């Protein structure tokens, strides 16, 4: 069966997490992703957080499926020539080096354009143009600079970063969208272009609702769905909202049966206005459905703490799965707090290919997150990550190098 990005060739100059998540998605959609790594060392994550000695780490294997690996020393003059041949043959170059590294290698935008005017050059950087454009950036720096950390956590505690890698994987997603959009535009302009996804911008895009709230706060000085209302105080900036949900559907995380010993025996409970009467029935507070202090959403806002405490008295009598089953019968939105252990064992996620077991020649079997985006006409097959330089000879032959030339380049340390 054909794939959406069949025929698209990607020169993958990415490392660590942000760039590799982008090129992995493109590979899952069918692009031929050729990962260029430093000879002898490779992507630094191959050896980071290793759980088995001398074997590519899960960090690396889980971010580099369906790619081919070639090792080229791009600072060696002959290595540079090989890279030029690759640039001429590929549609997209994706990189997430520190600012200026590609230029220092001699591959400026102008030089790449000379070699291949159809080339799309896509970059992840920590910051866009401005005071921090030259800074190196990792995940949590982006979460802090993009507004996520200042708005995450509890009011009486410090800023908190999220376990969701919104700075790295989030920016990789943004970049992938930029690349496919540029590929589409190229179908009618014939030209390549530069695509930039800055991690600060990507995080801020995901924190859009908090910039909305900043402006509401500036205007009114209060936000009634925040836990600071009605008893706390609001400062000048959007505060941390604990587990409150945004919008007009107040929610909170509540204890379930077993919470004393199980750190994940909790449920997220949303007091959605249209099902308020059903919530009252389920928790045994029928009178709240008609009591003017509780019957309407605005009347409930100053009483949310008391309301959630009452609902929690009910959720504590059920396991999170029992509560989920009962509440869903009445269309009451809620969600169990699932541990990674529970998610890894969840049969429905295995069935859809969102969790996949992969076999690897040196590591053996491991679990990974498959393609979260499902296309009906372009199914994803998750294939193991490449060993370092596994495809150097194969790719060199495709570029027209003879076995003798390949051997000479290897002796020269170029590949
Ligand atoms: N052959 C020879 N040299 C190579 C090479 C190859 N195949 N591949 C990379 N290099 C060189 C680069 O040219 C660079 O050399 P230079 O500093 O002399 O110009 C050097 O390796 C290091 O690259 P750099 O990107 O600076 O790596 P780093 O480990 O010092 O920094 C980051 C890592 C992630 C902080 C940095 O790359 C960065 O800020 N990237 C952009 C933001 C980003 O993606 N962050 C998220 C990471 S998950």
């Amino acid at each position: 069966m054909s794939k959406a990005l069949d025929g698209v060739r990607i020169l993958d100059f990415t490392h660590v997490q942000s760039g590799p998540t982008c090129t992995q998605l493109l590979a899952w959609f069918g692009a031929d992703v050729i990962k260029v790594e430093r000879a002898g060392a490779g992507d630094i994550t191959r050896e980071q957080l290793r759980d088995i000695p001398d074997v590519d780490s899960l960090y690396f294997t889980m971010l580099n499926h369906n790619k081919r690996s070639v090792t080229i020393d791009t600072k060696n003059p002959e290595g540079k020539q090989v890279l030029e041949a690759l640039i001429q043959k590929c549609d997209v170059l994706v990189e997430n080096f520190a600012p200026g590294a590609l230029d220092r290698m001699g591959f400026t935008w102008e030089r790449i354009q000379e070699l291949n005017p159809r080339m799309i050059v896509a970059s992840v950087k920590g910051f866009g143009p401005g005071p921090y454009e030259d800074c190196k950036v990792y995940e949590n720096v982006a979460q802090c600079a993009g507004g996520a950390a200042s708005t995450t956590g509890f009011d009486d505690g410090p800023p908190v970063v999220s376990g969701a890698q919104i700075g790295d994987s989030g920016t990789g997603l943004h970049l992938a969208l930029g690349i496919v959009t540029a590929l589409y535009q190229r179908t009618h302009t014939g030209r390549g272009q530069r695509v930039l996804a800055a991690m600060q911008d990507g995080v801020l895009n995901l924190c859009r609702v908090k910039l909305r709230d900043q402006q509401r706060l500036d205007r009114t000085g209060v936000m009634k769905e925040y836990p600071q209302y009605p008893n706390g105080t609001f400062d000048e900036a959007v505060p941390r909202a604990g587990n409150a949900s945004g919008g007009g559907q107040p929610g909170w995380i509540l204890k379930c049966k077993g919470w004393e010993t199980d750190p994940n025996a909790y449920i997220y409970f949303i007091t959605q206005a249209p099902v308020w009467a059903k919530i009252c029935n389920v928790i045994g507070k029928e009178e709240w459905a008609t009591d003017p202090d509780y019957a309407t959403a605005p009347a409930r806002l100053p009483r949310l703490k008391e309301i959630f405490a009452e609902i929690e008295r009910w959720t504590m009598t059920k396991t999170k799965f029992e509560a989920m089953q009962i509440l869903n019968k009445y269309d009451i939105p809620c969600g169990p707090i699932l541990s990674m252990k529970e998610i890894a064992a969840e049969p429905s996620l295995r069935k859809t290919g969102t969790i996949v077991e992969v076999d690897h020649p040196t590591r053996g079997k491991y679990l990974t997150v498959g393609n979260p985006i499902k296309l009906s006409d372009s199914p994803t097959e998750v294939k193991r990550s490449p060993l370092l330089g596994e495809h150097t000879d194969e790719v060199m032959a495709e570029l027209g190098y003879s076995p003798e030339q390949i051997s000479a380049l290897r002796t020269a340390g170029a590949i």
Side-chain angles (χ1 to χ4, degrees), residues 15 17-18 38 72 74-75 96 98 104-105 136-137 168:
H15 65 156
Q17 185 184 163
S18 63
R38 205 196 302 242
I72 304 173
T74 59
K75 291 190 174 161
N96 68 313
R104 285 194 291 278
M105 247 180 228
K136 288 187 174 182
V137 168
D168 279 340

Side-chain angles (χ1 to χ4, degrees), residues 13 15-19 36-39 44 59 72-75 96-101 104-105 124-126 135-139 168 199:
F13 237 149
H15 65 156
V16 206
Q17 185 184 163
S18 63
V36 176
E37 295 181 81
R38 205 196 302 242
I44 195 164
Y59 194 3
I72 304 173
D73 179 352
T74 59
K75 291 190 174 161
N96 68 313
F97 291 127
R104 285 194 291 278
M105 247 180 228
V124 169
K125 294 289 166 257
C135 297
K136 288 187 174 182
V137 168
Y138 284 103
E139 170 69 48
D168 279 340
M199 294 168 73

Side-chain angles (χ1 to χ4, degrees), residues 167-349:
D168 279 340
S169 291
T171 307
L173 262 169
H174 284 91
L175 191 72
L177 178 61
I179 290 169
V180 291
T181 305
L183 278 167
Y184 181 71
Q185 191 173 9
R186 195 181 72 171
T187 60
H188 35 273
T189 63
R191 286 193 308 276
Q193 61 181 301
R194 276 175 289 182
V195 180
L196 170 67
M199 294 168 73
Q200 181 185 39
D201 301 12
V203 170
L204 178 58
N205 184 36
L206 299 175
C207 290
R208 177 173 296 264
V209 297
K210 298 296 177 181
L211 185 57
R212 170 202 68 194
D213 290 350
Q214 183 61 52
Q215 295 171 85
R216 292 170 60 216
L217 185 64
D218 290 343
R219 198 176 303 276
T220 65
V222 68
M223 292 183 293
K224 293 184 176 171
E225 79 284 15
Y226 273 62
Q228 287 76 7
Y229 175 81
N231 301 317
T233 50
F234 284 90
D235 222 328
E236 284 188 342
V238 173
R240 296 187 259 291
N243 288 316
S245 52
Q249 315 299 346
W252 202 252
I253 288 183
L254 306 178
K255 290 171 185 157
C256 290
K257 199 192 228 170
W259 66 273
E260 299 90 338
T261 51
D262 176 356
N264 294 306
Y266 288 83
I267 193 162
Y268 199 93
F269 194 108
I270 296 180
T271 54
Q272 193 204 14
V275 291
W276 176 243
K278 293 179 188 172
I279 295 171
C280 297
N281 278 338
V282 168
I283 65 167
K285 290 290 277 185
E286 289 81 357
E287 66 277 18
W288 275 1
T290 48
D291 182 336
D293 280 349
Y294 299 88
T296 66
R300 288 194 290 277
L301 285 174
R303 299 179 176 80
L304 286 178
K305 217 169 159 192
E306 174 206 343
I307 290 170
F308 282 123
E310 189 61 37
I311 299 172
E312 191 171 61
R313 270 191 272 283
W314 178 82
T315 55
M316 280 165 70
T317 66
K318 310 277 179 275
T319 68
K320 62 189 175 189
F321 297 113
E322 287 165 354
M324 181 78 185
Q325 220 176 9
I326 297 167
L327 297 170
N328 272 299
K329 269 202 294 211
Y330 300 104
D331 284 338
I332 300 168
C334 58
I337 309 304
L338 295 181
S339 69
M340 271 300 150
K341 197 165 176 64
E342 287 165 330
I343 289 172
E346 172 56 46
S348 64
L349 294 176

Side-chain angles (χ1 to χ4, degrees), residues 85 89 393-403 405-406 409:
K89 188 125 179 161
D393 287 47
E394 181 182 298
V395 170
M396 294 293 288
E398 286 168 16
L399 290 173
Y401 289 88
S402 68
Q405 287 171 314
I406 296 173
L409 284 168

